[in-house]
Every structure is written in structure tokens, then in C-alpha cells.
């Protein structure tokens, strides 16, 4: 197909046979194959996805050839259409541009065929009557209109390419002028764009609205992603750019220059996307337009509130400026709105638009609902009784009675009939009299009905404008801009001077002195108004309404989704004020949000379940945003008050099983009645299980405030019989949900529940174990720093493992990495056992007892049978099978063939092991320089080379493989580390020993040169001129070479020596050498030869020889150098000096220096062992994340194991960081934004250190108990004090009464009276 597509277009030189074969025969074969039942049942189409896409692309290239005849074009297009249908049926993903191009080719062919039939039919029919002539004229006009439409479709790309050049000119207007001119300098400083933006606003003052709209569209196109132009469109662009800029200024290959930058930009970071035409990123283009006044233009045009068309384009420009969450643009909007006294009009215009939309919705709500009920009744009558179980609703959930529904249905049908009758009268008035008018009436009615039906599906302009408005408000609050979130709620809010959280980079500093509360400024609460709009568009009903689906249809579901997304962005961050405003609003908005999750959105869910899932997903995100980062239960209680917990869990479980339900419906032919449109097909279809997962997380968050819900969420439940049943949906959600605790900027702790990203499943257990064991503690005793430094490597391994799953063979090999490693080690041990027992080898098979042979055969076949029948077989059975098989091979073929076989198996296993290790660690994906510095790669390559040397060169190389034990065992590694860890100290000590030996060698050379006399044994000279010949002869005769005199004598006395077959192959010189060696040398007496071999030599005639002797003999002997020197007489002159010399050498060199080296090694080994024990103790008794000890959780509500597994699971923190990396930044929640900013700054303060929320809760309970006890004691004390006060009062009263009584008694006593006188 490629040859035909690239062939010459000249008919004289074309290969007609090849063209006919490809376009007719090959295309028919492909069409027939994919249309056959075999292709429908085969699964190879999905597995050969890349080849299928290449085949489809090739057919498209052939379809574009200009030399195709009508028949050839028919076969090619038929084949392409068949392949495209197969791709849709099988769910094969094909490039979107390829599908669009094929669809355009098909539409073009159909339109040409339609025109041809129309013209041919018009040519054959003769117009005999006036009505026939009118029909012919109509056909001609329709044909001309179709031709115009076809030309428009063909020329539209050229027109768009021509218009796109204007955007290039606006990006670089300075290139239109010569260098070093005043005009070029002004354009370079932004003067041209600035004046253009100012001129746009003046166009409205001059009533040039169309031109103003065009300018707004052009400014918006400056911030659009580059469009790919091909063929004639790109040629036209280059021609126009050449005419404007000149040949030296045309930028044709700018895309190639920016490929490296674009490849490093994440898809989610929209602001960093490079716009090739501007040679800047999207963020830079937005900031450039903002500096030139684009933000002020948007605000001014909204304040002046011109026509709806201008307002819509203005909002579109604002959305383009804020796209990607540009914080600089947000700051410009906030500064302008807070500093301009007329900014009140900005909010009033948006507020009035919301109010108008609600009024329009309320005005059209009753008719729309009636029509929906009528259509639903018609569908029920035509469809019979099918799907009754799905369509029924609970009676206790309905608010509308059946009588009211019938009345609304009758009113709707009457209105519809009146509208059709009115259209019919208008067509009669416009139609001609006579037969022509009567004949044209049915067509006009049909067109009117189609237009009417299409018009009904559209939202009115007052309602449709709400979607861009809400998107604009959402982008204003993007990145959780706290100031704008509060400002949308209340314009009297004063922005804070300093950001209170670091998760909002480039946040507006808010240093404004203008207060919105002065004068008579009115606050417009756009947050509550958005909630009110949601309540209105969903029917202004309560949250438990079962007929909620009647208000939601395919037309307004996108607007409802946008409303939910805007409300979510108002709350996230968190913004507690907006959360409270939404949760406590007097409208039914919160109930509507709950109803969107719990209720079936029918009839939309019957044919567009993807839209319903997206709706439920956004509603669950909004409820989570309302409860985000709150330490109270007020909002959660408000949500639970209007919700049945069991129903929420059932919705999550139903979403899990939705995939199976849809598959069953497709198998039974009960799919949706309507197919989604092309634009909706391009969007990502919401995964039902992801939606259910979000609902499960919502239920998990609510379960903290509801014990019933917490009990329902448990996957395992027991029945009446005591059996445990595990719900697969809840088990799936529980296994894919994680929670962590983070520390906020104000040092408060917060718990986060999140879904585990799919890519985290590819982290291998070997990597987890390695990181867990080898993570090092920092100065503060935490392992978080080392753990955080390995995140990039682990993330790269996850991505590689995900890519690895596409290669089945490599994936299988990597999955058995531990098996290959154990096999390599066992094979090395087995080979070395055979080499050690049999080297040197004898090339002969060994005969043994037939009974032993039978036993070996029986053992081998018996173990083989057990291995085949029992899987996995026991280990001892496998060992028995291997040993018996090797014994059988040795005694049947010999030791050397057996070693060759085992060596070959070992080499193959080493290859498998190396490939599996490099596959698991992603070595194949690394550059060569990094691979050459990778220890794992070098080690396994060395292992493989040694195995091949042992197989091909010599068997003794296999002994090096036993050193693999050192690499495998940590204890042996510690032994090696005990030498290498303090290697410098050991080396310096060894150098000191050499220096001391050098000093003693000098003293020995000067004073004791004659004492260095050593007894030596000199090897006998056999006198044979050709020793190799003798050895080879002996090897040929008795299997072993001549090694000593006894063997040589035995060899020479062999009776068949000189008549052997080996000697016949020697030449005369070799024969004479062998004979002379045997006859002459062995005639002497053997004893005399042995006596000549011993003697005494001087070993200190030179300093070098003296030093070598001192090191060799002195260090190896226990008593030092004195053990090997001559024993002096006590009468010698230097006897005492010699004694001192020997003692000093012994103490300094042998005892002190050598023991220093040994001590360093032993101490290092002890330190390593204690360090290992300490690591094991830390891993066992301390938390990896926070570092709390096990003892801190004694007598607490949460045990240490539960804390490490659930609260501070180290892998959950890794999963959360991966979630932040793979998630779109514009979709971040408040905690995710905070953590993302901290990760970017490499700040680890968000990890809890020596803290846990469970301990804080327990401490709080203890404090509360202490407070209660104190209050109780205080109450008892108060009661006691009151009792004492009462008793004192009574006592005081009694004393007063007694005193009065005494006074009264004294008045009546005479003695006292006289005494007184």
C-alpha cells in the first residue's frame, strides 16, 4: 500500500497491475476477512492493535490518491469503512485525527454521490407541468446549495489557515518593520498589542460591535494551543508568512526546536504548554496580554454590559486568560476589583445574569417537565412492560401525585399541538397557491418539525450563558485563591496581608486600603447565588425527590456539572466561610446535591450513563469539599440529616457493578438508544468504579460521625448462620483506599483519605522490602528524609513496571526473579561439588552394580512422577529428582559431558536472572552511561562472563561463582565491610608496619647480616631437554603427568613405553630426548639425589632481600624474625644486641602493629553487628514516619501495630505523593495543593514528627477526664462550703439567742441589780 501511495501520478509510468491488485484484490480480501464470523470470534484484533491502526492508516493514504477510478475508490472506501466499524465495535482506540479524516472522506463521497444522483435524475425527468418545473427548480437550487456546502467544507481549512496568520502577526508584530526603527521598538515593548486592546473597547463606543467581537475572538485565539496544518493549508500559511516577514524571518521549524521542552512538560501542567507560534508558554502569553491591559478590558466590558454576544465573547476572553489557574491574572483581577469604585457593577452584572437565568428556567420549567412526562408515557406505551424493575420509583419519595402528573402531561400535549398548528398556518400563508403550494407543504412541515425539535434541545441564551460565567468564576478561584473565594461571597471582605498557607504560590498580597463597606456599596453573594441556580435548574425541589431526573437531560447536564465544579472550587482550600455559606443556605441546594448522588437520574441514565456518572462524581466531590479540613461535625451532621446511610453505600456498590451491568446489556442488545456525539466521544469517559470510589470516600468521611455508616462500610458481614460474607465492592474500595496524617502550616494535624493511584500497584515487593530495610535515619532520628530522596527512583520503577506489563515474555521473566537467583546459586554449588570431587577428569564411564543402577532409575522416575502429579511439588522431591538425574548422567556419559550440560544450564539461567533483574529495575530504560555505573548491572554481567569462562575455557572458573554467597548474605557482607569500612585506618597501620620492618631490615643488614642463614630445598634438575614431551607421554599412558622423581622412575620403567602408540607419533629428536632422560638420569641412586637437593643460603646480602626475608619470615612466625635467624652463642660480641633486636621485632611488629590491624577489624565488625541489631530494634519498635516508640501506645485506644498499618503507613505516604504527581493540578483539593507545594519546595515539615492524632485524642480525653474530676471535686467542695456556711449561720443564730436570753435573765435577778447599783 505504501508503494502504491507513493507511486508516480503519471499514467504513462504507473504500474496499473499493482494498483488494481492493491485497490481491488487486497481491499476485498481485507473487507471479506473482517466481515467473516471468524474475525468476530477472534481476539487477535485487540492484541494486534498497532498493526490494525497501521492498516487503517494505509487504507486512508490510498484513499487520498488522485488517480483512483470510481471502482477503485469504492473498494478502498468500503475497506476503510469496514475497518472503522470494527474498531468501534471492538473498542479499539484509534487516533482522533485519523477518525476525523476518514469521516470527512466518507461524507465527501456520499455528498458527491448524492449530487450525481440528483443531477442525473434531474436530467432524465422532463418538466411537463408547472408543478414539475417548480420541483426541478427546487432540485437545482438544492443541488447548488449542496455544491456550495461541499466547496465550503473543502475551502474552510484554507480560510482558517489564512486567518491563523493574523495570530502569528499579533504574536510577533515587530518583524513587520525593519530593525532599529521606532515602530519596531514600540512593537517589541508591547505598544502594538496595548493600543489594539484599547481600540477594542472604543469600537463599542463607535457602535462597531461585530468588529469588537472579532477582536475579542482574535485575542482569545492568541492563547489557544497550536493547530496542526497540513498540505495546502500549511503551504498557504508559509506563503503568507513569507510575504509578511520575508524569507529570513519565516519560522518554519519552530516545532522541532521546542520538542525537547514540550516533552518535559506534563500534560496536566497546562500553563507550561509551549505555544510554538508565540515561542512562549501559555502562562507567558497570558501574562503578556495582562500587562498590555487584557484583564482591564475584560472587566470594563463586563461592567458596561453590552449585548449578550459581546458579553459572551468577553467571558470567553477572561476564561482564556485564566486558563490553567494563572495566579498572576488572578492577582490582576483582584487588584482591579478592590481598587476600582465601579467594580460593584462588575458583580451586579454577573448577579443579574444569574437572576435572569433563574427566571427563564422557572418560566420554561413547567412546559418542559410536561413534555418530558408526555414523551416518557409514549415510550412506556411503545416499549411495553420492559425494564419495569429499573424505571419504578419508591412511592414514599414522590411529591407529585398521579393526578397532577396527568394534568401536566395534558397541558404539555395541548401546548405542543397548538405550536404545531401555528407553524402550519404560517407555512400556508407563506406557501404558493395551487398544486405547487399543496405539494410543498409536507416538506415544509417536516423541516419545521425538525427545526422545532432541534430548537427545543437547545438552551435559551439566558440559560446557556451561565456555563461560561460559572467557568469564569471557577477559574478566578483556581489554585484555592482564598482572597477571591471570599471576595465572591462578600465584596466587603478585605484581603489578608500575608498568605496563611504556603499552598497558594504567587497569591495576591492583598495590600489594599480600599474597603468595600464604605458609601452605599452592595454585596453580591455569588457563592450562594450559584447554589440557588443549582437549586433552580434541578427543579427547586427537596433532596428526596424521586422525579429529579425529569429536570436533568442531555441538554442541561453539562451546565449542572459546571455548577457543581464551580461550587467545589469555592469551598476547596479550605474556605470555611464558603463551606458554611453553602451548608447553611436556606435553599434546597444541599438536598439537591445529595439527591444527585442517591437518586437514579432517569431517563438520562438509560442511554447516557456516562453523563450520569460524571454528575454523581462531581456531586460527591462537592460534598467532600464542604467537609474538607474541618475539625467539627456541623456540616457532616447537616449532610447526614438528609441522607440514608445504607442508600449511600448501595449507590457506591452499584457503581462498582455498573461495568458488569453495561457488559450484560451490550450482550443482550439492550444498549443505549442514542449514540454520543462526536464531541462527547472525544472526552474522557468517567470510570464507574472511580465514581463509586469517590462516593465510598465520602461515606468513609461521614462514617466518623455516624456509627451505623461505619458498620455498613465493613466488607465482611456475618449472617444468621454465622457464615462470613465479603462484599466484593466494599473489599475493592477498602483495598484501594488509603489514609495519612499531615501537619498543616499552623502545626495542626489533619487526616486525608484518598484513592490509591493505579500506577502504585506496579511497585514490586522486592523494592518495598529493600527501601524498608535500608532507609537511614537522619540527625533527628527520622527516616523520612532518606525515604523522600528515593521517591523519584520508585516512581520511575512504577512507570517502567507498567510499561513492562506490555511485554509478556519480559514480564514473566521479571516475575520469577527470585527463582532465577536461587537456581543460579544452587547450580554453582552443584557444579563446584562435582569439580572438587572429580578434577582432574578421566574420560571414561564407570561401571557399577546393576542393583544400584536400578535404584537410581527408580528414584529418578518416581520423583519425576510426583513432580508432575503434585503441583507445586515438595522441595525434597525436587532435590531427589535433580540428584538422581545427575548421578544417572555421570555414570552414563561421564563427568565432563555432565559438567558441560550443567554449565550450559547455568549460563542460560544467568542470562534469565540478569534479564529479570534489569527488567525489574528498569535498567533497559536507562542511558548507557548510567547503566555502566549501575552496580547491579555490572555484577550480573560479571557473573555471566565468569559462567561462560567456566563453560568454554576451564572448569576451575566455576569456583569464582561461590563468591555470590557473600553478595547474598548480609552477615558475610558485614565481614567484608569490617575490612573496607575502616580501610584507610587499616591501610595506614599496614604502612606503619612496613616502615618498621624496613627499619629492622636496615639494622639486620648492618649488624646481623651473617645471621640470616636459611635452610632451603633445591628442586632436582631432571636433565630432560624436552620435559613437556615426557609429561605428555605419561599422560597418554596412565592418565596423569609426571610430577616428581618417583613418578618419572615408574614411567621410565613401563614395559611398553617405547612401543606405545603415542611415541610412534613423535619425531626422532623427541624420541631421543625421552630415552636419554629415562636411561641416564635414573641410573643414579635416588638417595644421593635427595641429599643434593638440600642446602643453606644467605638471605640478607642486599637490603631488598633482607626486607623481603624480614616480612616473609618475621610476620608469619609467632616469635618474630628471631625464630628463623641463626641461634647466636652467648659468648658472641653482639649477643645482647641480638636479643634486644629479636624482642623489639616481636613486641613492636608482631604484637602491637598486627594486633592494631586485627583490633580495627574486630571493632568494626562489632559495630556493624550492633548497628544491625539497632536497626532491627528500630524497625520493630518505632514508627517509620513519626518515629514514636512502641511504649507511647501502651494503654491507648490505638495499638502500635494499628498505628503503623493504618495511621502512619509509609507506603500510603508514597501513594499520596504519587497521586499529587499524576493528578491534574487544577483538580487538587486543599490538602493536595498544600502537599504539592511542600514537595516542590522539598520541605518535609508536612510529615508528622513525634505526633499522632490518636495520641492527641487520647491526651484530650485524659485532659477532659481530669477537668471532669476537678469539676466534680469543685462541686463537692462547694457543697461542703455551703454546708459549713449553713452550720456557721445556725451556730451564730444560736449564740445570739443565748446571749439575748442571758440578758433577759439578768434583768430579773435582784442580786445582779443591786450589784449593779
Amino acid at each position: 500500500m505504501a508503494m502504491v501511495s507513493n507511486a508516480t501520478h503519471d499514467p504513462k509510468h504507473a504500474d496499473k497491475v499493482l494498483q488494481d491488485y492493491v485497490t481491488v484484490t487486497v481491499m476485498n480480501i481485507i473487507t471479506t476477512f473482517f466481515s467473516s464470523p471468524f474475525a468476530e470470534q477472534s481476539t487477535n484484533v485487540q492484541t494486534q492493535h498497532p498493526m490494525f491502526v497501521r492498516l487503517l492508516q494505509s487504507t486512508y493514504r490510498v484513499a487520498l490518491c488522485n488517480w483512483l477510478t470510481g471502482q477503485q475508490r469504492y473498494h478502498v472506501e468500503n475497506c476503510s469503512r469496514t475497518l472503522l466499524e470494527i474498531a468501534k465495535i471492538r473498542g479499539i482506540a484509534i487516533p482522533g485525527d485519523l477518525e476525523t479524516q476518514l469521516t470527512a472522506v466518507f461524507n465527501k463521497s456520499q455528498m458527491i454521490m448524492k449530487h450525481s444522483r440528483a443531477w442525473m435524475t434531474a436530467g432524465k425527468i422532463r418538466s411537463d407541468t408547472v408543478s414539475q418545473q417548480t420541483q426541478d427548480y427546487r432540485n437545482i437550487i438544492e443541488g447548488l446549495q449542496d455544491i456550495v456546502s461541499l466547496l465550503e467544507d473543502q475551502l474552510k481549512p484554507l480560510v482558517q489557515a489564512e486567518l491563523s496568520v493574523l495570530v502569528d502577526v499579533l504574536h510577533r508584530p515587530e518583524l513587520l518593520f525593519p530593525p532599529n526603527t521606532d515602530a519596531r521598538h514600540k512593537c517589541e515593548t508591547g505598544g502594538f498589542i496595548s493600543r489594539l486592546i484599547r481600540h477594542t473597547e472604543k469600537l463599542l463606543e463607535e457602535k462597531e460591535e461585530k468588529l469588537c467581537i472579532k477582536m475579542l475572538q482574535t485575542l482569545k485565539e492568541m492563547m489557544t494551543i497550536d493547530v496542526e496544518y497540513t498540505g495546502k493549508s500549511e503551504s498557504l500559511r508559509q506563503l503568507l508568512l513569507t510575504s509578511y516577514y520575508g524569507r529570513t524571518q519565516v519560522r518554519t521549524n519552530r516545532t522541532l526546536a521546542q520538542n525537547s521542552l514540550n516533552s518535559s512538560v506534563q500534560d496536566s501542567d497546562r500553563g507550561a504548554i509551549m505555544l510554538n507560534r508565540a515561542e512562549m508558554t501559555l502562562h507567558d502569553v497570558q501574562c503578556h496580554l495582562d500587562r498590555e491591559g487584557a484583564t482591564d478590558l475584560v472587566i470594563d466590558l463586563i461592567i458596561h454590559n453590552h449585548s449578550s454576544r459581546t458579553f459572551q465573547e468577553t467571558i470567553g476572553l477572561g476564561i482564556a486568560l485564566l486558563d490553567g489557574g494563572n495566579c498572576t491574572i488572578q492577582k490582576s483581577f483582584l487588584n482591579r476589583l478592590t481598587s476600582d469604585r465601579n467594580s460593584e457593577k462588575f458583580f451586579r452584572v454577573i448577579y443579574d445574569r444569574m437572576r435572569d437565568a433563574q427566571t427563564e428556567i422557572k418560566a420554561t420549567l413547567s412546559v418542559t417537565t410536561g413534555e418530558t412526562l408526555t414523551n416518557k408515557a409514549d415510550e412506556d406505551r411503545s416499549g411495553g412492560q420492559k425494564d419495569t424493575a429499573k424505571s419504578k420509583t419508591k412511592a414514599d419519595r414522590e411529591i407529585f401525585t398521579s393526578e397532577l402528573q396527568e394534568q401536566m402531561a395534558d397541558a404539555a400535549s395541548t401546548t405542543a399541538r397548538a405550536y404545531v398548528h401555528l407553524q402550519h398556518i404560517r407555512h400556508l400563508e407563506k406557501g404558493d397557491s395551487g398544486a405547487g403550494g399543496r405539494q410543498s407543504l409536507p416538506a415544509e412541515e417536516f423541516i419545521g418539525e425538525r427545526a422545532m425539535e432541534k430548537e427545543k434541545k437547545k438552551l435559551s441564551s439566558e440559560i446557556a450563558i451561565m456555563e461560561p460565567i460559572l467557568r469564569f468564576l471557577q477559574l478566578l478561584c483556581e489554585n484555592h485563591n482564598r482572597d477571591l473565594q471570599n471576595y465572591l461571597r462578600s465584596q466587603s471582605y478585605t484581603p489578608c496581608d500575608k498568605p496563611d498557607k504556603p499552598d497558594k504560590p504567587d497569591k495576591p498580597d492583598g495590600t489594599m486600603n480600599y474597603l468595600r463597606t464604605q458609601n452605599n456599596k452592595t454585596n453580591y453573594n455569588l457563592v450562594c447565588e450559584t447554589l440557588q441556580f443549582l437549586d433552580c435548574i434541578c427543579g427547586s425541589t427537596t433532596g428526596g425527590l424521586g422525579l429529579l431526573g425529569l429536570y436533568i437531560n442531555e441538554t442541561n447536564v453539562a451546565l449542572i456539572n459546571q455548577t457543581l465544579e464551580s461550587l467545589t472550587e469555592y469551598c476547596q482550600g479550605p474556605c470555611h466561610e464558603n463551606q458554611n455559606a453553602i451548608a447553611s443556605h436556606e435553599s434546597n441546594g444541599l438536598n439537591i446535591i445529595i439527591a444527585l448522588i442517591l437518586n437514579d437520574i432517569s431517563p438520562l441514565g438509560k442511554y447516557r450513563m456516562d453523563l450520569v456518572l460524571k454528575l454523581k462524581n462531581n456531586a460527591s466531590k462537592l460534598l467532600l469539599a464542604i467537609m474538607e479540613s474541618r475539625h467539627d461535625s456541623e456540616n457532616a451532621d447537616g449532610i447526614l440529616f438528609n441522607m440514608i446511610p445504607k442508600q449511600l453505600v448501595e449507590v457506591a456498590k452499584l457503581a462498582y457493578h455498573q461495568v458488569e451491568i453495561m457488559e450484560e446489556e451490550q450482550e443482550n442488545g439492550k444498549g443505549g438508544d442514542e449514540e454520543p456525539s462526536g464531541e462527547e466521544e472525544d472526552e474522557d469517559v468517567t470510570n464507574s468504579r472511580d465514581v463509586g470510589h469517590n462516593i465510598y470516600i465520602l461515606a468513609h468521611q461521614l462514617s466518623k460521625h455516624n456509627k451505623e455508616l461505619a458498620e455498613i462500610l465493613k466488607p465482611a458481614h456475618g449472617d444468621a448462620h454465622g457464615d462470613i460474607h465479603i462484599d466484593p465492592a466494599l473489599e475493592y474500595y477498602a483495598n484501594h483506599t488509603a489514609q495519612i496524617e499531615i501537619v498543616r502550616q499552623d502545626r495542626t494535624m489533619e487526616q486525608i483519605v484518598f484513592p490509591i493511584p493505579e500506577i502504585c500497584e506496579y511497585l514490586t515487593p522486592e523494592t518495598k522490602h529493600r527501601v524498608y530495610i535500608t532507609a537511614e535515619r537522619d540527625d533527628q532520628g527520622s527516616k523520612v528524609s532518606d525515604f523522600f530522596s528515593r521517591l523519584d527512583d520508585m516512581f520511575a520503577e512504577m512507570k517502567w513496571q507498567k510499561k513492562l506489563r506490555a511485554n509478556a515474555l519480559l514480564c514473566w521473566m521479571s516475575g520469577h526473579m527470585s527463582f532465577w537467583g536461587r537456581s543460579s546459586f544452587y547450580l554453582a554449588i552443584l557444579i563446584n561439588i562435582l569439580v572438587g570431587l572429580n578434577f582432574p577428569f578421566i574420560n571414561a564411564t564407570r561401571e557399577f552394580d546393576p542393583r544400584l543402577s536400578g535404584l537410581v532409575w527408580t528414584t529418578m522416575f518416581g520423583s519425576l512422577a510426583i513432580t508432575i502429579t503434585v503441583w507445586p511439588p515438595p522441595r525434597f522431591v525436587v532435590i531427589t529428582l535433580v540428584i538422581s538425574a545427575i548421578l544417572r548422567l555421570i555414570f552414563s556419559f561421564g563427568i565432563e559431558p555432565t559438567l558441560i550440560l550443567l554449565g550450559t544450564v547455568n549460563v542460560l539461567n544467568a542470562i534469565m536472572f540478569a534479564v529479570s533483574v534489569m527488567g525489574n529495575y528498569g535498567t533497559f530504560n536507562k542511558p548507557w552511561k548510567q547503566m555502566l555505573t549501575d552496580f547491579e548491572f555490572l555484577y550480573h554481567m560479571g557473573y555471566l562472563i565468569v559462567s561462560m569462562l567456566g563453560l568454554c575455557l576451564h572448569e576451575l572458573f566455576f569456583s569464582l561463582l561461590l563468591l555470590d554467597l557473600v553478595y547474598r548474605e548480609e552477615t558475610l557482607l558485614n565481614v567484608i565491610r569490617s575490612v573496607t569500612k575502616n580501610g584507610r585506618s587499616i591501610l595506614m597501620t599496614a604502612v606503619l608496619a612496613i616502615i618498621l620492618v624496613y627499619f629492622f631490615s636496615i639494622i639486620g643488614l648492618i649488624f646481623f647480616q651473617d645471621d640470616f642463614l636459611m635452610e632451603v630445598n633445591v628442586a632436582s634438575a631432571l636433565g630432560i631437554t624436552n620435559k613437556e614431551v615426557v609429561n605428555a607421554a605419561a599422560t597418554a599412558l596412565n592418565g596423569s603427568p609426571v610430577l616428581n622423581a618417583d613418578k618419572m622412575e615408574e614411567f621410565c620403567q613401563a614395559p611398553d613405553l617405547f612401543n606405545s602408540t603415542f611415541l610412534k607419533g613423535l619425531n626422532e629428536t623427541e624420541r631421543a630426548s625421552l630415552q636419554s632422560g629415562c636411561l641416564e638420569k635414573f641410573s643414579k641412586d635416588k638417595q644421593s639425589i635427595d641429599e643434593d637437593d638440600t642446602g643453606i643460603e644467605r638471605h640478607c646480602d642486599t637490603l631488598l632481600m633482607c626486607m623481603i626475608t624480614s616480612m616473609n619470615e618475621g610476620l608469619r612466625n609467632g616469635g618474630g624474625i628471631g625464630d628463623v635467624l641463626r641461634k647466636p652463642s652467648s659468648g658472641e660480641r653482639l649477643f645482647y644486641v641480638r636479643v634486644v633486636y629479636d624482642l623489639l621485632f616481636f613486641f613492636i611488629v608482631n604484637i602491637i602493629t598486627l594486633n592494631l590491624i586485627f583490633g580495627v577489624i574486630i571493632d568494626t565488625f562489632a559495630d556493624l553487628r550492633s548497628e544491625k541489631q539497632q536497626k532491627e530494634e528500630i524497625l520493630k519498635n518505632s514508627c517509620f514516619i513519626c518515629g514514636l516508640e512502641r511504649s507511647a501506645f501502651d494503654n491507648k485506644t490505638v495499638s502500635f501495630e494499628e498505628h503503623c498499618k493504618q495511621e502512619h503507613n509509609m507506603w500510603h505516604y508514597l501513594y499520596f505523593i504519587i497521586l499529587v504527581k499524576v493528578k491534574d493540578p487544577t483538580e487538587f483539593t486543599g490538602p493536595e495543593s498544600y502537599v504539592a507545594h511542600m514537595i516542590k519546595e522539598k520541605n518535609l515539615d508536612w510529615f508528622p514528627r513525634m505526633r499522632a492524632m490518636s495520641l492527641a485524642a487520647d491526651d484530650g480525653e485524659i485532659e477532659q477526664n481530669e477537668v471532669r474530676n476537678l469539676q466534680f471535686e469543685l462541686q463537692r467542695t462547694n457543697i461542703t462550703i455551703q454546708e459549713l456556711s449553713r452550720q456557721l449561720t445556725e451556730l451564730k443564730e444560736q449564740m445570739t439567742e443565748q446571749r439575748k436570753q442571758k440578758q433577759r435573765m439578768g434583768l430579773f435577778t435582784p442580786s445582779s441589780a443591786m450589784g449593779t447599783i
Side-chain angles (χ1 to χ4, degrees), residues 840-841 1028-1043 1051 1062:
F841 308 123
E1028 290 78 8
V1029 175
V1030 178
N1031 289 341
T1035 303
L1037 291 175
N1038 58 7
S1040 61
V1042 177
L1043 299 176
F1051 167 68
F1062 173 76

Side-chain angles (χ1 to χ4, degrees), residues 931-1053:
M931 289 176 61
L932 294 177
T933 57
D934 188 359
F935 177 76
E936 290 282 345
F937 175 76
L938 296 177
Y939 176 79
H940 289 287
M941 288 298 101
Y943 191 94
L944 179 60
I945 292 172
V946 172
S947 300
M948 296 180 68
L949 289 175
L951 177 63
C952 302
L953 192 59
H954 200 282
E955 294 82 359
L956 295 181
F957 278 104
F958 285 122
S959 61
L960 297 177
L961 300 181
L962 294 177
L963 295 177
D964 186 47
L965 181 63
V966 179
Y967 179 75
R968 292 175 176 275
E969 292 296 329
E970 186 177 0
T971 304
L972 297 179
L973 285 176
N974 287 335
V975 174
I976 303 300
R977 292 193 191 102
S978 64
V979 178
T980 59
K981 186 175 182 179
N982 291 326
R984 189 174 184 277
S985 300
I986 297 174
L987 180 62
M988 292 296 103
T989 308
V991 171
L992 176 61
I994 294 173
I995 294 173
L996 293 175
V997 170
Y998 178 67
F999 291 156
F1000 280 101
S1001 300
I1002 295 174
I1003 296 173
L1005 178 65
I1006 297 174
F1007 298 101
F1008 309 108
Q1009 184 177 11
D1010 296 333
D1011 292 346
F1012 282 81
L1013 301 177
M1014 304 295 168
E1015 183 178 355
V1016 296
N1017 295 323
V1018 182
S1020 300
L1022 297 179
I1024 300 176
T1025 58
N1026 197 343
K1027 187 176 180 180
E1028 290 78 8
V1029 175
V1030 178
N1031 289 341
T1035 303
L1037 291 175
N1038 58 7
S1040 61
V1042 177
L1043 299 176
N1044 51 39
D1046 295 333
K1047 285 287 185 178
M1048 178 63 77
E1049 183 177 4
E1050 179 183 355
F1051 167 68
C1052 291
Q1053 293 176 358

Side-chain angles (χ1 to χ4, degrees), residues 538-539 541-543 545-552 591-592 595-597 599-602:
C538 291
T541 59
T542 59
L545 180 62
L547 298 177
L548 182 65
L550 297 179
Y551 305 104
I552 302 175
N591 297 331
I592 289 291
L596 289 175
I597 300 176
N599 293 350
D600 294 333
I601 312 299
S602 180

Side-chain angles (χ1 to χ4, degrees), residues 770-781:
R770 185 178 69 253
V771 173
Y772 178 71
I773 295 297
T774 60
E776 299 293 339
R777 303 181 73 180
D778 56 11
D779 297 337
Q780 299 178 356

Side-chain angles (χ1 to χ4, degrees), residues 432-604:
D432 298 332
S433 60
R438 287 191 297 271
Q439 291 180 2
S440 63
L441 183 58
E444 295 294 335
E445 283 186 3
F446 176 75
I447 296 174
E449 290 177 1
R450 289 289 301 274
M452 209 171 70
E453 182 180 355
K454 186 176 181 181
E455 195 66 27
K456 286 181 183 179
K457 291 184 178 181
K458 290 184 178 181
L459 294 172
S460 62
S461 59
E462 291 83 358
I463 303 175
I465 194 62
M466 282 302 301
E467 186 170 355
I469 289 177
L470 293 173
R471 174 62 177 166
F472 175 70
L473 296 178
Q474 176 191 356
L475 290 174
L476 280 177
C477 301
E478 199 70 68
N479 297 324
H480 315 128
N481 193 315
R482 179 71 62 81
D483 289 339
L484 281 169
Q485 285 175 332
N486 287 302
Y487 206 70
L488 291 181
R489 185 190 72 258
S490 173
Q491 288 76 57
S492 60
Y493 168 80
T494 303
C496 56
D497 294 337
K498 294 182 180 181
D500 57 346
K501 296 187 183 296
D503 56 338
K504 296 184 282 295
D506 298 333
K507 182 179 175 182
D509 54 4
T511 55
M512 280 75 70
N513 297 321
Y514 180 75
L515 298 179
R516 300 295 297 164
T517 54
Q518 62 182 355
N519 298 333
N520 294 323
K521 302 298 182 182
T522 305
N523 285 325
Y524 297 96
N525 193 338
L526 300 184
V527 174
C528 292
E529 199 61 31
T530 305
L531 183 65
Q532 188 71 33
F533 176 77
L534 175 66
D535 182 23
C536 184
I537 197 173
C538 291
S540 297
T541 59
T542 59
L545 180 62
L547 298 177
L548 182 65
L550 297 179
Y551 305 104
I552 302 175
N553 49 59
E554 195 173 355
T555 305
N556 63 1
V557 67
L559 179 55
I560 297 175
N561 277 320
Q562 181 58 61
T563 308
L564 294 172
E565 292 173 1
S566 298
L567 288 170
T568 302
E569 198 62 44
Y570 295 161
C571 298
Q572 287 179 341
C575 182
H576 294 301
E577 295 82 359
N578 287 351
Q579 290 176 344
N580 296 332
I582 294 174
S584 61
H585 194 259
E586 59 186 5
S587 68
N588 296 321
L590 190 60
N591 297 331
I592 289 291
I593 300 168
I594 298 173
L596 289 175
I597 300 176
L598 300 182
N599 293 350
D600 294 333
I601 312 299
S602 180
L604 180 63

